[in-house]
Amino acid sequence: MLRVINRVLDHLEEWLIATLIAAATTLIFFAVLHRYGTGLSIDIARWATARGLTFIAVPANATFTWLAALDVSWAQELCIYMFIWMAKFGAAYGVRTGIHVGVDLLVNRLPEHSRKHVILFALLCGAFFTGMIAAFGYSFVGGMFHTGQQSNDLEAPMWIIYSAIPLGSSLMCYRFLQVAWFYYWTGQLPHHDESHVEGVQADGSPALHPQPAGAATKAAARKVSPLGVILILAPILILAICLGEKAGIIVLPPALRAATVFALLIALMLTGVPVSIALGLTVMTFLFTLTTVPIEAVSMKLFTGIESFEIMAIPFFILAGNFLTHGGVARRMINFATSLIGHWYGGLGLAGIVACAMFALVCGSSVATVAAIGAIVLPEMVRHGYPMRFGAGIITVAGSLGILMLPSIPKIVYAVATNTSIGALFVAGLLPGTMLTTMLCIVTWWIARKRDYPRLPKASWSETVRTFRESIWGLMLVVIIIGGIYSGLFTATEAAAMAAVYSFFISVFVYKAIGLKDVPRVLLRAANTSAMLLYIVTNAVLFSFVLSNENLPATLADWIAAQNLGWVGFLLVVNILLLLAGNFMEPNSIILIMAPILAPAAKKLGIDLVHFGIVIDVNMEVGLCHPPVGLNLYVASMIARMRITELAVAVMPWLLTMLAFLVVVTYWPDLTLWLPRVLGMHSG
């Protein structure tokens, strides 16, 4: 019976989140067509009538009448609600598939026996938090039911809409307990390899994925590690201190209360608790023990935290990136780049960098860029006589352009966290991205020339034109995204939805690299990744709410200003802090935690927040390219069949180039701000 229930729940999760992301994308696409179709049809009707072209004027007038009578004002609100439901249920699916990100650096170093205890502790923390949220959610929805409150545009009962909180949290709690039970008996965890992309065969050999320290012998495996005990006891001890404060046994000064918040967050993350859960548990502990914020406000924030149309750009761009990665776009961009510069020293490597830059203009994900370009370029480089180390080093770092150029998930996350213009951030990355592409190409050319690596025959003009024609469908996305935002045709979120629909169209019907039968799998993968990010955003909004309630960002900004660091010293400290954080966490989590704290201080020192966002973005790029959690390294290692340690050495020439580029971007604000100002997208 339980097996049947699990199977039904599995299919329900998958069907629900895939359907919701597809429906929301279609809905926004239709709303945009409706908006412009209404105006266009009446313009055509007037033009045809003035010229006596009745056969055109009549259907145009009929189309206008039909569209004008069609009310789609509710579309945006419904789209937001669909994504909130997707986030809540997708988060439960993410527990089942192991997609939720956490800091497992210390956990993986534990002996097997201690590691098992710590992982079970982390899973039970997840079950406890989601169970608490489910309980609060049911209470909150009950209150909503009695008020009879309705939504603005849909006029739907709000208790039905808000029921996503208790239902999704209940399912998530069940999934945490299910995974914990299965892990207790089998020692196996669900594993989602974010670096894996379909079509790139992973190598699970020990050479690529070495066993954690301490698992070498059975004796060592049974050993209880002091580190494991500390990892479990640290958050419990901090919780005890908070309870002592609530009971009046101890009194914490304001500064120590703030320190307690961060200490608990760090302690929970070090046990491997998913970042989203660590943020949520920290907030709950703080609210119950150190403040008097009503719990109703928390329940409301769990919903309104992502009740923003701007945040909806994240799932749309993720969906577009998934279609592009598997849709044949990357290969055509590589062919075009090779026809341009393949005959130079290191031509294939240079083509890989340029192709990464072109793919980054439309993709928005470093991992997808490395996988899509690397899977094609690296085998070709080896076939033409290049060492694999050389090619893998290039693609690992060049792939990081995926979050610097136009659409970028970390940029959207930063924009939401700091209330900065998404369009300005998109455009601000163009010149820095071009400069980094040039710097990486120069280093590649110099190494290839010094080592006399092979060159390809020069392509004819007809070949260049042919490859450009083939790649133009993918490159047109740049026009849709930037042209649409800059001209005012679309908001950033609408541009993302249009990009998703366009990517689907060219992947399925133009390049025919994806069949219609493959579309549900792409939708599910995009929804899974989107839900994980949106769940982090939800709990990060809660965390920021607590920090603001304690006035911590403003206090920290005043303290930094009092240190007389100046903007030069402040940015140096920020770079060091972010580079250190990049050793342990993935980019979106770092931005959601750090940006709301650091941005007020940056603003107080006169640093433009768009420039500050690009500085953070480049720091995130560096973190993706070095161990221990650099996802780009893991993607490239799977494609190249190289050890992580070997690849970490191979990337050094390009990684050092990126560090030099970081210095330039940090202290040359006009490099990022000139283009947004020229385009009138930023006045700072």
Side-chain angles (χ1 to χ4, degrees), residues 280-329:
L281 275 173
T282 301
V283 170
M284 297 298 293
T285 301
F286 193 76
L287 291 177
F288 275 115
T289 61
L290 300 179
T291 69
T292 56
V293 177
I295 199 64
E296 289 78 12
V298 178
S299 298
M300 183 69 77
K301 276 287 177 185
L302 283 170
F303 195 90
T304 60
I306 54 174
E307 196 176 5
S308 161
F309 194 57
E310 287 74 23
I311 294 178
M312 298 307 110
I314 294 175
F316 288 140
F317 275 123
I318 289 174
L319 180 58
N322 271 267
F323 277 121
L324 291 173
T325 302
H326 309 299
V329 175

Side-chain angles (χ1 to χ4, degrees), residues 388-474:
M388 179 59 84
R389 286 167 55 94
F390 180 72
I394 292 170
I395 298 300
T396 300
V397 177
S400 63
L401 289 164
I403 63 171
L404 181 58
M405 302 296 265
L406 288 180
S408 163
I409 305 305
K411 283 181 187 173
I412 298 171
V413 170
Y414 172 84
V416 170
T418 60
N419 197 28
T420 309
S421 165
I422 296 177
L425 283 165
F426 280 6
V427 173
L430 273 174
L431 284 183
T434 304
M435 183 178 181
L436 179 56
T437 302
T438 304
M439 290 172 68
L440 294 176
C441 283
I442 291 171
V443 171
T444 301
W445 175 85
W446 182 78
I447 293 174
R449 186 173 182 274
K450 184 180 176 183
R451 299 176 184 173
D452 196 27
Y453 286 154
R455 303 159 68 177
L456 297 178
K458 186 172 183 178
S460 63
W461 277 108
S462 61
E463 180 71 8
T464 302
V465 170
R466 182 186 65 79
T467 54
F468 173 72
R469 275 207 322 266
E470 290 177 350
S471 63
I472 192 67
W473 285 98

Side-chain angles (χ1 to χ4, degrees), residues 367-609:
V367 171
T369 302
V370 174
I373 303 298
I376 300 167
V377 167
L378 292 182
E380 282 296 302
M381 290 185 74
V382 172
R383 192 168 67 83
H384 283 83
Y386 290 90
M388 179 59 84
R389 286 167 55 94
F390 180 72
I394 292 170
I395 298 300
T396 300
V397 177
S400 63
L401 289 164
I403 63 171
L404 181 58
M405 302 296 265
L406 288 180
S408 163
I409 305 305
K411 283 181 187 173
I412 298 171
V413 170
Y414 172 84
V416 170
T418 60
N419 197 28
T420 309
S421 165
I422 296 177
L425 283 165
F426 280 6
V427 173
L430 273 174
L431 284 183
T434 304
M435 183 178 181
L436 179 56
T437 302
T438 304
M439 290 172 68
L440 294 176
C441 283
I442 291 171
V443 171
T444 301
W445 175 85
W446 182 78
I447 293 174
R449 186 173 182 274
K450 184 180 176 183
R451 299 176 184 173
D452 196 27
Y453 286 154
R455 303 159 68 177
L456 297 178
K458 186 172 183 178
S460 63
W461 277 108
S462 61
E463 180 71 8
T464 302
V465 170
R466 182 186 65 79
T467 54
F468 173 72
R469 275 207 322 266
E470 290 177 350
S471 63
I472 192 67
W473 285 98
L475 293 173
M476 278 295 293
L477 263 176
V478 180
V479 178
I480 292 174
I481 295 168
I482 285 303
I485 295 173
Y486 170 61
S487 64
L489 286 174
F490 315 131
T491 63
T493 303
E494 289 173 342
M498 300 299 282
V501 173
Y502 181 81
S503 302
F504 159 76
F505 177 78
I506 63 172
S507 298
V508 175
F509 298 111
V510 178
Y511 294 149
K512 299 180 180 178
I514 298 176
L516 284 173
K517 68 179 186 304
D518 301 316
V519 170
R521 189 172 68 249
V522 176
L523 291 170
L524 183 60
R525 184 180 178 87
N528 197 11
T529 305
S530 301
M532 180 270 292
L533 280 175
L534 292 175
Y535 198 74
I536 294 177
V537 171
T538 302
N539 290 305
V541 168
L542 268 181
F543 187 69
S544 297
F545 171 65
V546 168
L547 294 182
S548 299
N549 190 65
E550 293 294 304
N551 204 31
L552 188 60
T555 303
L556 184 63
D558 291 337
W559 180 82
I560 290 172
Q563 304 309 303
N564 295 320
L565 290 171
W567 73 276
V568 173
F570 171 73
L571 287 176
L572 175 62
V573 171
V574 166
N575 280 339
I576 293 171
L577 181 65
L578 293 175
L579 289 174
L580 288 174
N583 284 298
F584 308 103
M585 298 170 66
E586 59 89 36
N588 296 300
S589 304
I590 296 173
I591 294 170
L592 284 166
I593 293 171
M594 299 283 195
I597 299 169
L598 296 173
K603 196 170 183 180
K604 199 174 184 89
L605 291 169
I607 300 168
D608 190 279
L609 290 188

Side-chain angles (χ1 to χ4, degrees), residues 92-231:
Y93 178 69
V95 175
R96 177 161 69 93
T97 57
I99 195 175
H100 287 276
V101 294
V103 181
D104 56 5
L105 186 67
L106 293 180
V107 177
N108 284 341
R109 293 182 176 275
L110 294 172
E112 185 180 332
H113 189 64
S114 291
R115 185 165 67 251
K116 187 170 186 176
H117 289 160
V118 174
I119 290 174
L120 284 171
F121 173 77
L123 290 170
L124 292 176
C125 282
F128 174 75
F129 171 71
T130 49
M132 291 276 286
I133 294 301
F136 298 145
Y138 284 118
S139 174
F140 182 70
V141 167
M144 275 284 177
F145 176 77
H146 293 297
T147 64
Q149 186 177 341
Q150 293 185 325
S151 65
N152 294 329
D153 296 325
L154 289 169
E155 297 184 355
M158 288 304 294
W159 72 268
I160 294 179
I161 295 168
Y162 279 109
S163 62
I165 300 172
L167 293 176
S169 298
S170 297
L171 184 57
M172 199 171 178
C173 179
Y174 171 72
R175 291 301 187 196
F176 271 117
L177 292 173
Q178 184 185 39
V179 171
W181 178 260
F182 186 76
Y183 177 66
Y184 178 78
W185 289 108
T186 67
Q188 296 178 4
L189 287 169
H191 178 64
H192 174 91
D193 190 347
E194 193 178 339
S195 64
H196 175 62
V197 172
E198 291 163 38
V200 179
Q201 195 167 0
D203 185 348
S205 67
L208 292 185
H209 304 283
Q211 292 297 312
T217 65
K218 290 184 178 179
R222 291 194 210 97
K223 185 180 178 183
V224 175
S225 167
L227 177 59
V229 175
I230 292 170
L231 288 176

